[in-house]
Amino acid sequence: MCHGTHEWHRQVIKNCRRLNAEKGYGIVVMIDTEGSEIHMGDLVIFSFNPVCVKDGEEWCFTIRKFNGPLPAYTLPVNYEGFAEDVQVGDELVVDGGMVRFEVLEKVGPDVKCKCTDPGILLPCANLNLWRDGYLVREKNVTLPTISSKDWVDIDFGISEGVDFIAVSFVKSPDVIKHLKSYVAARSPDRSIGVIAKIEDANSLRCLDDIIRVSDGVMVARGDLGAQIPLEQVPSVQEAIIDACRKLNRPVIVASQLLESMIEYPTPTRAEVADVSNAVRQQADALMLSGESAMGLHPQKAVEVLRGVSVRMEHWSREESHHEKPPLPEISTSDTGRTSEQICNSATQIANKLGADAILVYTRRGYMASLISRNRPDCPIFAFTESRNVMRCMDLQWGVVPFQFAFRKDLESNLLQSLALLKAHCMVRSGNLVVAVSDVSSASQSGTGVLQSIQVHVLS
């Protein structure tokens, strides 16, 4: 939401919905809020966009408002207190270190700087101040996590029926709780997931608490790399992914995965290794940003990301012949613990028998998430009656969700769902499948829910 107009975004959402209806896809839509951290303004006022900055050039960062074109070598800043907070000699880090400046002079609302690390300035790039080798955090801490513009964008997302809202620069779990209560009040008939973006050093101090209250997490490495030392980013990424899996929340790895493909048709080998590493760490999803938003080769970037991810998944399965360490128990209720043990067992059965698929029949998506958490060696086909639940499951590792009208018993559900999968060439005769369900049966006595595991060889 940092870029483009609501009308432009509305058309993108319509395109996704149309493809879902025409092609039977399950594309989900997430809006990514801008956040209230310090950043530059939009650069569309320049005849050349993005802006190339050379070593030694002097630029002016200003909080002035201009109705027309900006003066040469002038860049707008969104934070009114910017000129007051910076000091001569500070280092101004742009977009996580893509460009660096040294502050030379302050003149009223203007801050004159000299480029010390040249590069390309992108619209609305994030700004961070470093002083005497340390990040200046004080002002960022006092800024609200969700700005007034973000609330307008969130209302837009709710009105358009998006599936997820990603919150930038989350500092505490209270922010997520507040937004979820707001979304629930504004959209009582439709579930919208809230994704916490981990890109602030403060969020690492209460990471588990943020994960528990969120519907998913994004490792936003670009801005995070400007908040912590660069050499810590890989280990922090792995720690976040590991925490999300233990707490059963989907995790997205984002920022600069294939950055060179903004300009070039092939990635660097280091970028391929980076993507492979995120897959091997068992992230649920990988996200392109600049590569697809403004890059010269958006479709190729998606193809490369998919190709590398699929190959790495195959390789990981081929190499993982040893027993995986057990995951900690997360459920507190008897029903939850039962679901957990059934899903753990179903995954073990599927892996030991070499099953071709796991079928999950679920009303809330919980059992599908538990199967996904175990990272089985075969695809997970999840069936639910709710369109909202189907879309939420789309973000989970290995899950292919379907909206499906449940029949009166599990056997009928199996017959109908297997016919659907055969029609889409996803399973065939002779395949072995494991089926789990938390859907109550019409013939079942009492009011409880029958949770079960079945193994079938398709005829």
Side-chain angles (χ1 to χ4, degrees), residues 331-397:
S331 301
T332 56
S333 66
D334 290 340
T335 302
R337 282 194 293 269
T338 302
S339 296
E340 213 172 314
Q341 292 306 316
I342 284 177
C343 291
N344 293 346
S345 300
T347 302
Q348 291 177 8
I349 292 170
N351 288 345
K352 289 183 181 297
L353 296 180
D356 297 287
I358 297 177
L359 278 55
V360 187
Y361 303 90
T362 178
R363 294 197 185 278
R364 299 182 296 114
Y366 183 59
M367 291 193 80
S369 73
L370 291 173
I371 294 285
S372 173
R373 179 178 184 241
N374 280 280
R375 302 297 194 258
D377 294 337
C378 59
I380 306 162
F381 299 118
F383 300 89
T384 183
E385 290 184 313
S386 166
R387 183 174 295 273
N388 288 342
V389 172
M390 181 194 74
R391 288 174 174 168
C392 289
M393 290 192 295
D394 201 47
L395 187 58
Q396 294 165 353
W397 182 96

Side-chain angles (χ1 to χ4, degrees), residues 8-226:
W8 187 90
H9 291 303
R10 184 177 290 112
Q11 188 58 50
V12 173
I13 294 170
K14 285 182 179 179
N15 289 342
C16 292
R17 300 293 187 236
R18 176 178 55 80
L19 286 169
N20 285 347
E22 292 178 1
K23 305 291 186 180
Y25 296 159
I27 301 170
V28 297
V29 178
M30 176 181 72
I31 66 167
D32 186 356
T33 61
E34 180 177 329
S36 59
E37 298 296 284
I38 304 171
H39 57 78
M40 299 190 314
D42 204 336
L43 302 181
V44 295
I45 45 181
F46 288 94
S47 58
F48 48 96
N49 187 22
V51 179
C52 183
V53 180
K54 297 179 181 179
D55 189 25
E57 284 184 346
E58 293 188 6
W59 285 73
C60 176
F61 289 79
T62 183
I63 62 171
R64 296 178 188 270
K65 308 297 182 185
F66 294 91
N67 293 325
L70 289 175
Y73 299 100
T74 301
L75 296 166
V77 178
N78 73 322
Y79 174 45
E80 293 289 338
F82 179 72
E84 299 174 19
D85 292 343
V86 300
Q87 297 180 11
V88 173
D90 283 355
E91 184 179 38
L92 185 58
V93 179
V94 182
D95 202 11
M98 301 306 291
V99 187
R100 295 174 185 265
F101 293 88
E102 178 187 353
V103 176
L104 301 177
E105 183 184 8
K106 298 197 302 182
V107 183
D110 304 329
V111 178
K112 295 183 179 180
C113 303
K114 181 177 73 174
C115 178
T116 55
D117 274 346
I120 295 176
L121 294 176
L122 300 179
C124 304
N126 187 259
L127 301 177
N128 285 279
L129 288 174
W130 286 73
R131 183 174 302 149
D132 299 325
Y134 294 94
L135 180 69
V136 179
R137 305 181 190 274
E138 289 78 9
K139 289 299 177 182
N140 284 354
V141 171
T142 61
L143 292 172
T145 300
I146 303 177
S147 68
S148 57
K149 178 186 181 300
D150 291 338
W151 286 116
V152 174
D153 291 336
I154 288 167
D155 284 340
F156 164 77
I158 293 171
S159 67
E160 291 298 318
V162 300
D163 305 292
F164 293 98
I165 298 172
V167 186
S168 297
F169 301 102
V170 174
K171 299 180 179 71
S172 74
D174 293 336
V175 174
I176 302 298
K177 292 177 184 177
H178 179 47
L179 177 56
K180 291 182 80 169
S181 65
Y182 179 79
V183 170
R186 293 295 305 272
S187 181
D189 300 325
R190 191 176 190 284
S191 175
I192 298 177
V194 175
I195 305 294
K197 294 178 66 179
I198 307 300
E199 52 191 340
D200 187 283
N202 296 290
S203 62
L204 298 176
R205 299 185 181 97
C206 50
L207 180 62
D208 283 5
D209 291 334
I210 290 174
I211 293 172
R212 286 189 182 95
V213 300
S214 303
D215 298 302
V217 166
M218 184 190 300
V219 188
R221 305 180 306 175
D223 289 316
L224 182 62

Side-chain angles (χ1 to χ4, degrees), residues 170-311:
V170 174
K171 299 180 179 71
S172 74
D174 293 336
V175 174
I176 302 298
K177 292 177 184 177
H178 179 47
L179 177 56
K180 291 182 80 169
S181 65
Y182 179 79
V183 170
R186 293 295 305 272
S187 181
D189 300 325
R190 191 176 190 284
S191 175
I192 298 177
V194 175
I195 305 294
K197 294 178 66 179
I198 307 300
E199 52 191 340
D200 187 283
N202 296 290
S203 62
L204 298 176
R205 299 185 181 97
C206 50
L207 180 62
D208 283 5
D209 291 334
I210 290 174
I211 293 172
R212 286 189 182 95
V213 300
S214 303
D215 298 302
V217 166
M218 184 190 300
V219 188
R221 305 180 306 175
D223 289 316
L224 182 62
Q227 294 271 330
I228 63 175
L230 285 174
E231 61 271 17
Q232 292 182 15
V233 172
S235 59
V236 168
Q237 171 181 309
E238 185 169 4
I240 296 171
I241 293 173
D242 186 57
C244 286
R245 189 174 170 217
K246 287 179 178 176
L247 295 171
N248 197 29
R249 294 293 187 274
V251 57
I252 307 164
V253 173
S255 305
Q256 301 170 343
L257 286 168
L258 300 172
E259 188 80 0
S260 67
M261 292 193 74
I262 291 177
E263 297 183 65
Y264 302 105
T266 57
T268 67
R269 304 317 180 248
E271 289 169 338
V272 170
D274 180 41
V275 171
S276 298
N277 191 48
V279 173
R280 193 172 189 180
Q281 290 173 351
Q282 300 188 327
D284 290 83
L286 305 177
M287 183 173 125
L288 298 176
S289 46
E291 302 93 334
S292 53
M294 57 168 287
L296 300 177
H297 312 282
Q299 185 171 335
K300 283 187 177 181
V302 175
E303 291 170 354
V304 167
L305 192 66
R306 175 178 172 78
V308 173
S309 301
V310 169
R311 179 66 191 95

